[in-house]
Amino acid sequence: MSVVVIVYNDEARLPTAVRSVLEQTLRGVEVVIVDDHSTDGSYEAACRLAAEHPGRVRAYRLAENSGGCGAPRNRGIQEARGEYVLFLDSDDVLERDACRNFLDAAETTGADLVSGMCVRVHVDSRHRKEVKWYPWLYARTRTLDSIAELPDLLVFDTLSTNKCYRRQFLVDGGLEFPVGIHYEDLLFSAQAYTAARRITLIPNRVYDWNVVEKAAGAKSISNRRAEIANFAHRMEMHRRVDRLLADRGLEELKFRKDVKFLKHDLVLHLRDLPFRDAAYRQEFAALARAYLASIDPAAYDEVEPIHAVCAYLLRMSDWDNLLPAVDTLTNRDKVSAPLTERDGRIYWCAEHIDDDPFARRILDVTELGYHTRPVGKLFPRNELTGYGQGEQPGKGGVVRLAGRVTNPLGVIPAGARLTAELEFSARRKGLRFQTFRFPVATLRHEGPYVSWEASADLAKGLRPLGIVDAVWDVRLHLDVDGERTTTRLTATRPGLVTGEVPVRPRLTRLVADRIEPEISSRGHLAFRLVPGKKGHDLVVRGLQGTPGRLAKTGYRKAKALRAKATSGETKLRLYHDVFLRMPVHKRLVVFESHLGRQYSDSPRAIYEEMRRQGLDFEAVWSYTGSPKGFPADATLVRRWSLPYLRALARAEFWIDNQSYPLKLTKRPGTTYIQTWHGSALKRMGFDEAGWKLKSRPEQAEQQRALDRFDHFLIRSEHDVRTLAKAFRLREKTLLRVGYPRNDELARAREAAERPPLADELGIPAGKKVLLYAPTFRHQGGRRFALPFDVERFAEEFGDRYVLLVRAHYLNHVVLPPSVRGRVIDVSDHHDVTPLLALADALITDYSSVMFDYALLDRPMLFFPHDYEEYVHEGRGTYFDLLERAPGPVVRTEEELYSVLAASPLEEQSVKYAAARERFVADFGEYDKGTAAQSIVEEFFSEWRKA
């Protein structure tokens, strides 16, 4: 094997790279060093290495500098004597077994090209952070007869250095790196991939790409994005690769590459645009437009909306709308544009959409859900429009700031009461207590924006410690009628923020006596302490000397101690060694629903029945996230907090519907009432294949958690055959009383009046209510894609029905504005029971709400659109839903609409009455409307106040 090591002005690191080759476990390896006419001692270092290792290391030097990697690598191919060739940069290293693993794979499969895993090693990070380069490509060994079998390999792994090439393959194919142009790997790798008769991928680490983020010297070619020539070279290489793919008839590869260009290559340069001047932006746009014209329009549909928006606006050179879009591209939660609503859809901007159908499609950002965000969940763009310093005597420390906050879709009403303050806070973790606030004097509405002006006397108001709090971030907190939103100050105008401001550190002015503005990598205004000239050397010596080392060591130990004190392991020790040793707190009941996410379900029904009967007890409810919506007459504790663990350890009763943390042991004096959260269609517990595949210790640990249940609520003998059996519960554990959450449904069956919830949701009296409540879906994120077109539903049935959509609590759905009043998202409602009671009919797939809703004896419609996949590729079911569903089963959107259009709900109610009766008998026989009363009577009756 010949390893070609190229070097330019890197004499210090070259020996390390060469050593990584010489120390390979495969001995038949030579090193071919090619120096690109360095101006330092790189070539001399190469010659010394050759002299020290005769026959294993050879050194060559180009007559003149080529300015890139192509020429020296081509020379290396010419000089190589091995049967196989690898490429190594002088600042990187080979993994010790790389050559052996490459050779084994090549000899075994006969591949022309073998590729292994590259790892980016951030050598200047504290813990040498490592990031694998597209690891999914190297999850297993595989051999390809054509690159068309795995397009992602060509699209994503464009490196030439994590690969081993059969030298004769390179020579016969005339494969060389382009010279005189950067990004040569893009073309060379594409040529090699498409020419190789066989490609083998191995799941071995072969190449360490050493990354230095804070390089003091010249940046690498790929990091010189401030140079327009850098982007020009990238575009030229993409054009050459496109021509190659076109010549080979690989249209699918070209399409995949177009998608990657929009979501990756272009993004690298777009993020830097706010920091570039007008001349650079114009030249950049001209280069990009020429290439974007060659992109398949269908590729825009395969990327995230903000990627497509940026690419389109760049094509149009619409800087007013592009720069805010780039801000959102860099800060994904930020809403950077005022947005516009047209025909019930949300668009990034009003421009372009009237005349260009393509623009109307690309600029449609409805699915991002911006229109559903209230002020409190808004992260709006806050563009810095003015910056200056006090010029009056004695006012040198005053900074004058002005900006405008984006007001998307008028979410901040014109008549809203506005107040705001600027906050300066230390960036370093652990120093967040270091915050200083200044009032904002001027706030005014300006249509799609809220403008503001403020002055901050940093010389008097900002008191940093010094050294440890060198960087300070700035935020503006805006209160709108008492609801707060927080913004960062975005600076997009080059040269806007300059100058230094005097400050008074708490330690001494020798540490730092000035602060200067800077723009973060995300485009936000920050300030950095500037050490005083007199004290700079003293501070540096102190930090590098014994006092500094002791201080750093003490700080790190304190930080580690704090992390350990708040870790899960420490909390578990506290729970078992301290809290469990405390006496049981009589009449303390801890309630939890869906792992603390909701105040709902049977725990809520039991709690409210206990309150209704006036029992004397202390209630604790756990919550995850926000406590909003939880009862005010109970003690609220955050899940996994110390108060939470203390309450569980001392409680007389645990009541929940899913599971308290599995590793928490329940003391003998605590009674655990497990209400569970629904009868089972899907296989559960030890009936699941995944549980069966766990190791014996893992299964035993799971069983110990289940054995904590003292009582398990049962609503039918179906639960006994499924849930109880799957959880391996003892007969004495089972309580055949039904679900307390369904007491309300049993009563609602006889109710004649529509629940008041209809008025709260704004549902007209003359319209029927349909509830669509699907089960949880894994879809690569929380957002749930509805299996039917809600706009079409609203158009066809909006005059008769209001559709309520309730996504599973682990999913999230976004509805377009066009369906307002006709389709309503009710996913934020903690408790589904009032929604079931309101609905005139239910549409579901496999959700357990079917068993609850059946108690109302109202029409049910089943839409298992992915039945085969869900049943056969998922975890399986206990019975065939298609056979036992007490209502029509539809598999497509057309069938769904046909059923809704064909017969009114009254006819369906009569048609499936017998089926619903059988369904309730099979799955809800113990739901009589008295479950909560029965539980209170059995366990808590003695707590009634005298």
Side-chain angles (χ1 to χ4, degrees):
M1 285 198 155
S2 296
V3 180
V4 177
V5 182
I6 63 170
V7 60
Y8 176 72
N9 286 355
D10 198 19
E11 60 178 314
R13 291 180 293 189
L14 176 63
T16 302
V18 172
R19 194 180 309 119
S20 76
V21 183
L22 296 176
E23 294 177 353
Q24 287 290 301
T25 54
L26 181 70
R27 303 307 301 166
V29 181
E30 70 162 357
V31 183
V32 180
I33 305 175
V34 182
D35 174 58
D36 196 13
H37 206 86
S38 297
T39 59
D40 67 352
S42 294
Y43 181 60
E44 288 73 15
C47 291
R48 286 195 298 272
L49 289 166
E52 293 168 3
H53 303 279
R56 296 200 67 195
V57 180
R58 290 179 286 127
Y60 301 90
R61 189 185 196 197
L62 299 188
E64 59 182 23
N65 178 252
S66 69
C69 302
R73 285 178 181 161
N74 291 339
R75 176 69 180 275
I77 295 173
Q78 296 170 9
E79 302 294 345
R81 297 171 182 168
E83 187 177 349
Y84 298 93
V85 177
L86 284 72
F87 301 107
L88 174 64
D89 292 345
S90 61
D91 53 346
D92 300 330
V93 295
L94 287 182
E95 194 277 334
R96 194 163 183 265
D97 294 312
C99 289
R100 180 178 297 280
N101 289 327
F102 274 139
L103 182 63
D104 287 346
E107 294 291 286
T108 301
T109 65
D112 290 327
L113 186 161
V114 180
S115 188
M117 187 182 298
C118 170
V119 177
R120 286 170 58 94
V121 182
H122 295 258
V123 295
D124 57 349
S125 64
R126 179 176 296 178
H127 303 292
R128 287 179 64 88
K129 182 180 74 172
E130 296 186 352
V131 180
K132 295 178 180 179
W133 186 256
Y134 301 113
W136 81 85
L137 296 171
Y138 299 98
R140 61 183 176 87
T141 300
R142 63 185 300 183
T143 297
L144 313 173
D145 291 323
S146 168
I147 188 61
E149 296 177 25
L150 186 61
D152 279 356
L153 184 61
L154 178 142
V155 170
F156 291 98
D157 188 1
T158 58
L159 300 178
S160 64
T161 47
N162 60 332
K163 297 171 178 61
C164 169
Y165 310 85
R166 196 178 296 273
R167 184 176 180 277
Q168 201 58 45
F169 159 68
L170 298 178
V171 173
D172 293 346
L175 296 181
E176 291 186 339
F177 289 88
V179 177
I181 187 169
H182 300 321
Y183 299 104
E184 52 279 299
D185 275 14
L186 289 175
L187 182 58
F188 182 83
S189 295
Q191 291 172 330
Y193 282 141
T194 55
R197 292 167 301 172
R198 186 168 294 169
I199 302 169
T200 295
L201 308 182
I202 57 175
N204 305 94
R205 179 175 183 163
V206 296
Y207 194 94
D208 283 5
W209 176 359
N210 291 328
V211 180
V212 182
E213 299 285 358
K214 303 170 185 175
K219 290 187 176 182
S220 65
I221 292 169
S222 59
N223 285 329
R224 298 178 200 161
R225 292 194 291 270
E227 303 170 10
I228 194 64
N230 182 284
F231 186 63
H233 285 199
R234 186 187 284 271
M235 292 300 92
E236 175 58 24
M237 277 304 176
H238 275 286
R239 281 189 287 269
R240 294 188 190 185
V241 173
D242 290 348
R243 285 197 296 269
L244 170 69
L245 298 179
D247 292 343
R248 299 288 177 92
L250 298 170
E251 291 81 7
E252 175 62 21
L253 284 175
K254 166 66 167 60
F255 178 76
R256 298 284 190 91
K257 182 178 164 297
D258 285 347
V259 173
K260 192 235 182 181
F261 178 83
L262 292 176
K263 68 194 297 186
H264 176 74
D265 300 76
L266 184 60
V267 169
L268 289 176
H269 294 268
L270 281 173
R271 285 176 176 159
D272 295 324
L273 277 185
F275 309 107
R276 308 289 176 245
D277 58 25
Y280 178 97
R281 292 174 185 173
Q282 293 302 326
E283 196 169 352
F284 176 85
L287 289 167
R289 276 199 306 271
Y291 185 73
L292 287 170
S294 70
I295 296 287
D296 188 331
Y300 285 78
D301 297 325
E302 300 297 319
V303 300
E304 294 182 39
I306 194 62
H307 288 143
V309 166
C310 286
Y312 177 83
L313 294 173
L314 179 61
R315 283 178 59 181
M316 306 304 294
S317 293
D318 184 351
W319 298 104
D320 290 341
N321 290 307
L322 173 59
L323 290 178
V326 171
D327 199 5
T328 293
L329 183 69
T330 305
N331 305 278
R332 288 306 179 85
D333 291 331
K334 187 181 289 189
V335 186
S336 298
L339 308 176
T340 187
E341 181 179 339
R342 192 77 59 82
D343 300 326
R345 306 292 295 179
I346 305 299
Y347 296 92
W348 186 260
C349 56
E351 292 78 10
H352 316 294
I353 60 177
D354 291 330
D355 304 322
D356 185 355
F358 181 67
R360 197 173 183 87
R361 188 178 98 220
I362 298 304
L363 298 177
D364 187 333
V365 292
T366 306
E367 71 173 75
L368 296 179
Y370 293 141
H371 59 286
T372 66
R373 295 192 193 180
V375 170
K377 295 184 178 180
L378 197 64
F379 178 27
R381 173 180 167 91
N382 186 353
E383 183 182 0
L384 192 66
T385 57
Y387 180 90
Q389 294 174 224
E391 299 175 356
Q392 301 176 15
K395 295 292 185 180
V398 176
V399 174
R400 298 191 309 277
L401 302 166
R404 61 176 194 173
V405 179
T406 300
N407 181 16
L409 302 170
V411 68
I412 302 174
R417 180 175 53 84
L418 303 178
T419 59
E421 64 180 2
L422 284 173
E423 177 186 273
F424 289 73
S425 59
R427 179 178 297 176
R428 188 165 188 166
K429 292 181 179 179
L431 294 173
R432 294 297 169 85
F433 63 89
Q434 283 281 84
T435 59
F436 302 91
R437 296 181 174 88
F438 302 89
V440 173
T442 303
L443 281 164
R444 57 182 177 271
H445 290 277
E446 293 183 351
Y449 302 97
V450 172
S451 296
W452 60 271
E453 296 173 7
S455 294
D457 191 344
L458 301 186
K460 295 181 179 179
L462 186 66
R463 296 300 308 279
L465 291 171
I467 305 176
V468 296
D469 54 356
V471 181
W472 291 75
D473 292 315
V474 190
R475 293 173 174 83
L476 182 137
H477 299 297
L478 176 65
D479 282 353
V480 181
D481 289 332
E483 193 170 7
R484 168 174 284 199
T485 183
T486 299
T487 70
R488 298 295 301 272
L489 276 56
T490 300
T492 59
R493 196 189 313 166
L496 176 63
V497 292
T498 57
E500 296 179 347
V501 182
V503 293
R504 293 186 301 146
R506 299 188 183 202
L507 297 179
T508 170
R509 289 183 184 274
L510 291 177
V511 172
D513 60 359
R514 292 159 294 150
I515 197 167
E516 64 180 3
E518 67 176 20
I519 307 303
S520 73
S521 60
R522 292 183 175 271
H524 298 140
L525 176 67
F527 287 86
R528 181 179 293 275
L529 286 172
V530 181
K533 293 180 181 179
K534 294 181 180 179
H536 179 69
D537 293 340
L538 178 64
V539 171
V540 171
R541 284 198 301 270
L543 287 173
Q544 294 177 346
T546 301
R549 285 196 299 272
L550 291 174
K552 289 179 182 177
T553 301
Y555 172 76
R556 287 170 184 162
K557 286 183 178 178
K559 186 177 179 181
L561 185 63
R562 179 183 178 186
K564 185 176 181 180
T566 57
S567 68
E569 182 181 347
T570 300
K571 288 181 177 179
L572 284 173
R573 270 205 309 272
L574 277 171
Y575 176 84
H576 288 100
D577 297 343
V578 179
F579 296 154
L580 280 183
R581 296 179 185 274
M582 295 179 177
V584 172
H585 186 155
K586 292 297 184 180
R587 302 195 180 191
L588 173 62
V589 185
V590 179
F591 297 87
E592 184 172 285
S593 178
H594 293 303
L595 308 180
R597 292 184 178 91
Q598 298 176 354
Y599 171 58
S600 66
D601 213 81
S602 292
R604 173 179 179 170
I606 295 173
Y607 170 76
E608 292 181 349
E609 180 63 22
M610 294 172 73
R611 289 296 190 204
R612 190 187 67 80
Q613 293 193 24
L615 303 187
D616 182 15
F617 70 106
E618 184 175 339
V620 171
W621 268 93
S622 87
Y623 70 92
T624 298
S626 169
K628 185 178 180 180
F630 284 81
D633 56 356
T635 300
L636 307 183
V637 294
R638 186 182 297 276
R639 200 171 197 265
W640 264 114
S641 66
L642 292 181
Y644 171 81
L645 296 177
R646 188 173 185 271
L648 282 175
R650 302 195 62 195
E652 188 174 355
F653 282 88
W654 291 0
I655 300 177
D656 90 312
N657 66 351
Q658 199 155 337
S659 176
Y660 288 109
L662 301 181
K663 294 184 179 181
L664 299 185
T665 302
K666 181 184 71 65
R667 72 194 310 161
T670 299
T671 300
Y672 190 167
I673 302 176
Q674 172 57 255
T675 70
W676 205 240
H677 52 274
S679 297
L681 168 63
K682 304 179 287 286
R683 293 191 177 275
M684 303 291 293
F686 289 100
D687 288 343
E688 289 185 54
W691 281 42
K692 294 177 181 178
L693 292 175
K694 290 182 178 181
S695 66
R696 286 187 178 180
E698 288 174 327
Q699 290 189 14
E701 183 179 0
Q702 190 70 50
Q703 189 61 57
R704 281 194 295 272
L706 295 170
D707 288 343
R708 296 179 302 174
F709 302 162
D710 295 298
H711 303 284
F712 189 89
L713 269 56
I714 295 296
R715 54 183 308 209
S716 72
E717 289 305 306
H718 169 77
D719 291 351
V720 177
R721 296 188 297 270
T722 55
L723 290 172
K725 176 176 172 292
F727 293 155
R728 299 175 179 173
L729 301 178
R730 294 161 295 177
E731 172 63 30
K732 66 178 183 179
T733 305
L734 309 183
L735 285 180
R736 291 172 170 82
V737 296
Y739 280 174
R741 73 181 187 194
N742 289 338
D743 292 348
E744 180 180 342
L745 297 180
R747 294 191 294 267
R749 178 173 178 171
E750 308 301 330
E753 296 182 358
R754 174 177 278 192
L757 179 60
D759 294 331
E760 295 177 25
L761 296 174
I763 299 175
K767 288 189 178 182
K768 296 288 188 180
V769 178
L770 302 180
L771 173 64
Y772 177 56
T775 193
F776 171 67
R777 289 295 198 287
H778 290 279
Q779 294 188 326
R782 293 186 68 246
R783 183 164 295 154
F784 174 63
L786 293 171
F788 58 92
D789 185 346
V790 290
E791 290 181 292
R792 180 183 170 190
F793 175 91
E795 186 67 26
E796 294 191 18
F797 303 103
D799 58 336
R800 283 187 281 163
Y801 301 120
V802 170
L803 178 68
L804 306 181
V805 177
R806 190 179 194 272
H808 189 277
Y809 65 86
L810 293 175
N811 288 136
H812 174 61
V813 68
V814 172
L815 300 177
S818 59
V819 301
R820 284 193 192 106
R822 296 174 292 177
V823 184
I824 303 173
D825 180 13
V826 292
S827 303
D828 286 339
H829 284 246
H830 273 215
D831 203 342
V832 71
T833 302
L835 298 171
L836 295 174
L838 172 62
D840 295 296
L842 172 71
I843 304 173
T844 189
D845 44 16
Y846 321 98
S847 174
S848 63
V849 296
M850 69 174 76
F851 303 110
D852 305 320
Y853 191 79
L855 298 172
L856 292 166
D857 193 28
R858 298 174 189 171
M860 303 167 68
L861 196 154
F862 296 85
F863 187 17
H865 61 95
D866 54 355
Y867 186 77
E868 281 74 19
E869 176 185 351
Y870 191 88
V871 172
H872 301 300
E873 297 180 21
R875 44 194 229 212
T877 60
Y878 285 114
F879 62 88
D880 189 343
L881 178 64
L882 302 185
E883 292 181 359
R884 300 181 69 174
V889 178
V890 297
R891 304 293 297 278
T892 66
E893 181 178 11
E894 294 300 330
E895 291 180 5
L896 171 65
Y897 292 159
S898 295
V899 169
L900 290 175
S903 59
L905 297 181
E906 292 76 12
E907 290 184 14
Q908 289 193 32
S909 180
V910 173
K911 181 178 180 180
Y912 291 94
R916 287 196 304 276
E917 186 176 354
R918 288 194 302 271
F919 199 75
V920 171
D922 291 340
F923 301 110
E925 58 188 297
Y926 302 128
D927 278 323
K928 303 301 183 183
T930 57
Q933 293 179 25
S934 298
I935 291 171
V936 170
E937 188 64 33
E938 181 170 351
F939 297 102
F940 309 113
S941 59
E942 63 184 40
W943 294 359
R944 290 190 178 95
K945 297 177 182 178

